[in-house]
């Protein structure tokens, strides 16, 4: 089975974990569910409806407090989904300590390279982050069995806010990059939004036709949320209640809910939050909410790049334990 296929199947297995608590409550996926709506999608829908009611009631989600709360939620419930990357590599490729050290250096080096790009070319860094996000979020829709539909869904989720909240997206990008010219990226997203939403609608229909009612419903709910809700709130809803639990469930299925994984997840998550604190202290933005936005999304970008690239590099190299002969795993050696 290919790595992508494995991810897809594993993401459909049930998984639970004690940190954060919300992920345990979601019962991430149920392979026996068929056309049933999962607890995850029910929670997502209920939360979306609650936010829509609050928006209609005039709740100011554009306030500094709401912005800071959204950023904290994104870090607290989003960072855990990549915390088991290196543990997956160690277990599935039987990598020894020396090579694990090399992989860790590669992970840190890629994060440092992304930090340097933010420092010297922030608009380019933001564009790169958006492109990487499209590739990453497309993995959530692999069940559509079409890379075009999966990528269209991912693009739609990122561009949908520009329909009703173009000004907020432009301001968000300017705050994140520290450059007013970053607003041009929002204009590009607005141009892509109609076509990508049309593709996303086809993707949802295909999921429904294949009997994946739960995922089709979740996709439809998230598209509505990304269009109607303020951008940060909509993204937090998607990232915290769908993308991150789904990928953490995959990771836990691959490494097992062992005592080792139980301490790795919170420890690595705290390290990621520590990185956000360092970035927060090192940034200069006009107010504290802008400071939170910049440090939170930079942290995501610094961790997402190695999160995406390192497993691919290891898979391509098909590393075996140091000193192992090619005959130990002839299938892998033939890759």
């Amino acid at each position: 089975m290919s790595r992508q296929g494995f991810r897809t199947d594993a993401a459909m297995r049930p998984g639970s974990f004690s940190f954060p608590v919300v992920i345990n409550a979601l019962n991430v996926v149920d392979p026996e569910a068929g056309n049933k709506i999962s607890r995850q999608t029910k929670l997502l829908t209920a939360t979306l409806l609650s936010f829509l009611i609050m928006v209609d009631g005039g709740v100011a989600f554009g306030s500094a407090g709401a912005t800071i709360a959204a950023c904290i939620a994104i870090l607290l419930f989003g960072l855990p989904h990549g915390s088991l990357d290196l543990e997956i590599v160690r277990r599935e490729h039987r990598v020894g300590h020396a090579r694990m050290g090399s992989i860790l250096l590669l992970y840190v080096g890629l994060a440092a390279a992304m930090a340097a790009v933010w420092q010297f070319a922030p608009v380019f860094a933001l564009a790169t982050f958006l492109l990487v996000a499209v590739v990453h979020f497309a993995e959530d829709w692999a069940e559509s069995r079409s890379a075009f539909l999966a990528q269209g869904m991912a693009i739609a989720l990122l561009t949908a806010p520009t329909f009703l909240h173009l000004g907020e997206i432009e301001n968000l990008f300017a705050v994140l990059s520290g450059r007013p010219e970053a607003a041009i990226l929002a204009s590009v997203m607005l141009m892509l939004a109609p076509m990508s939403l049309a593709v996303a609608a086809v993707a949802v229909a295909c999921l429904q036709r294949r009997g994946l009612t739960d995922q089709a419903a979740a996709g439809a709910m998230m598209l509505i949320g990304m269009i109607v809700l303020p951008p940060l709130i909509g993204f937090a809803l998607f990232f915290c209640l769908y993308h991150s639990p789904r990928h953490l469930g995959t990771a836990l299925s691959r490494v097992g809910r062992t005592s080792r994984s139980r301490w790795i997840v919170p420890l690595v998550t705290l390290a990621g939050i520590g990185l956000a604190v360092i970035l927060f202290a090192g940034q200069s933005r006009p107010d504290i909410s802008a400071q939170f936005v910049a440090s939170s999304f930079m942290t995501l970008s610094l961790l997402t790049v190695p999160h995406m690239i390192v497993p691919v590099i290891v898979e391509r190299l098909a590393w075996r334990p140091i000193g192992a002969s090619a005959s130990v795993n002839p299938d892998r050696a033939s890759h």
Side-chain angles (χ1 to χ4, degrees), residues 5-326:
F6 184 90
R7 273 193 171 193
T8 300
D9 292 342
M12 299 301 291
R13 300 191 195 111
S16 62
F17 201 71
S18 57
F19 181 87
V21 174
V22 68
I23 291 172
N24 186 50
L26 292 178
N27 191 21
V28 181
V29 212
D30 183 359
E32 306 295 332
N35 288 332
K36 295 179 181 178
I37 301 299
S38 68
R39 281 184 285 175
Q40 180 185 4
T41 300
K42 289 177 182 177
L43 176 60
L44 179 67
T45 303
T47 306
L48 171 61
L49 291 175
S50 299
F51 277 121
L52 290 176
I53 291 171
M54 286 188 282
V55 168
D56 187 60
V59 175
F61 282 115
S63 66
T67 297
I68 292 171
C71 290
I72 291 174
I74 287 168
L75 291 176
L76 184 60
F77 299 114
L79 293 182
H81 86 275
S83 58
L84 291 169
D85 287 352
L86 297 181
E87 180 66 5
I88 289 172
V89 167
R90 185 189 71 83
R91 289 173 63 92
E92 294 187 356
H93 295 274
R94 297 180 296 145
V95 178
H97 293 299
R99 280 179 174 165
M100 277 305 300
S102 300
I103 294 171
L104 179 59
L105 285 176
L106 175 61
Y107 207 98
V108 173
L110 287 169
M114 190 63 187
V117 177
W118 276 110
Q119 180 68 31
F120 298 107
V123 178
F124 179 74
L126 177 57
T128 301
F129 180 37
L130 292 172
L131 289 174
V132 171
V134 166
V135 175
H136 190 33
F137 293 157
E139 292 181 349
D140 292 334
W141 312 101
E143 288 86 352
S144 67
R145 296 182 178 176
S146 165
F148 177 73
L149 293 179
Q151 291 166 7
M153 188 71 176
I155 294 171
L157 287 168
L158 291 177
T159 61
T162 60
F163 276 118
L164 300 180
H165 306 280
L166 179 61
E168 292 179 54
I169 294 293
E170 289 176 337
N171 182 64
L172 179 65
F173 286 175
V175 165
L176 182 52
S177 66
R179 301 286 192 276
E181 58 267 28
I184 193 173
L185 295 175
S187 299
V188 173
M189 290 170 66
L190 179 61
M191 290 188 292
L192 293 173
M195 182 60 71
S196 63
L197 280 170
V199 174
V202 174
V204 170
C206 287
L207 289 169
Q208 175 62 42
R209 187 173 301 140
R210 292 192 56 228
L212 299 173
T213 302
D214 180 67
Q215 195 174 14
M221 290 299 101
M222 285 185 294
L223 287 170
I224 292 171
M226 293 300 281
I227 292 173
V228 179
L229 294 176
L232 271 179
I233 302 299
F235 179 79
L237 186 70
F238 160 66
F239 199 66
C240 298
L241 295 185
Y242 186 81
H243 175 79
S244 297
R246 180 177 174 85
H247 281 258
L248 182 57
T250 301
L252 289 169
S253 295
R254 295 172 73 174
V255 304
R257 292 179 292 278
T258 63
S259 58
R260 181 182 175 90
S261 62
R262 288 181 182 277
W263 65 259
I264 288 177
V265 173
L267 186 63
V268 175
T269 300
L270 289 174
I273 292 174
L275 174 61
V277 171
I278 293 172
L279 292 174
F280 181 89
Q283 298 299 314
S284 177
R285 294 296 188 272
D287 55 61
I288 188 170
S289 62
Q291 198 87 338
F292 264 90
V293 168
S295 59
S296 298
F297 281 89
M298 284 183 183
T299 299
L300 289 185
S301 73
L302 265 58
L303 298 178
T304 299
V305 169
H307 174 60
M308 291 293 295
I309 295 177
V310 170
V312 174
I313 292 176
V314 173
E315 188 74 25
R316 291 287 184 268
L317 293 175
W319 275 344
R320 296 179 301 276
I322 295 176
S325 65

